[in-house]
Amino acid sequence: MACGIDDADVTTLSLELGRDVTLEEAEVPLLRALDDALAGRLIVADHTFASAPDPGKQAAEARRKARAAHE
């Protein structure tokens, strides 16, 4: 339970890329990204809840469309 969420899986760069990734290979890009993040230069996606689709609204819209198609 690496992240503290007991039902979340963990992975590695090697598993994600399907090949061995050495520490030496990862060191420079990791340190560069860390420096960018700490300096406020790292561009990240918006992962706030407000940016995600609301599954309840999506389900209601799908039901509405299904009813309309049968009318």
Side-chain angles (χ1 to χ4, degrees), residues 1-10:
M1 179 178 12
C3 65
I5 303 172
D6 50 346
D7 64 343
D9 290 331
V10 295

Side-chain angles (χ1 to χ4, degrees), residues 3-71:
C3 65
I5 303 172
D6 50 346
D7 64 343
D9 290 331
V10 295
T11 192
T12 65
L13 285 174
S14 295
L15 283 173
E16 292 297 316
L17 296 176
R19 63 178 179 82
D20 284 339
V21 177
T22 65
L23 289 176
E24 292 77 19
E25 180 184 359
E27 180 181 15
V28 171
L30 173 71
L31 291 175
R32 187 177 301 124
L34 179 61
D35 184 55
D36 287 346
L38 295 175
R41 296 184 302 266
L42 186 64
I43 307 296
V44 296
D46 182 1
H47 292 287
T48 60
F49 286 114
S51 70
D54 182 332
K57 288 182 182 177
Q58 287 178 321
E61 179 66 15
R63 287 191 301 273
R64 185 192 66 72
K65 285 182 180 180
R67 280 194 306 271
H70 287 36
E71 293 177 352

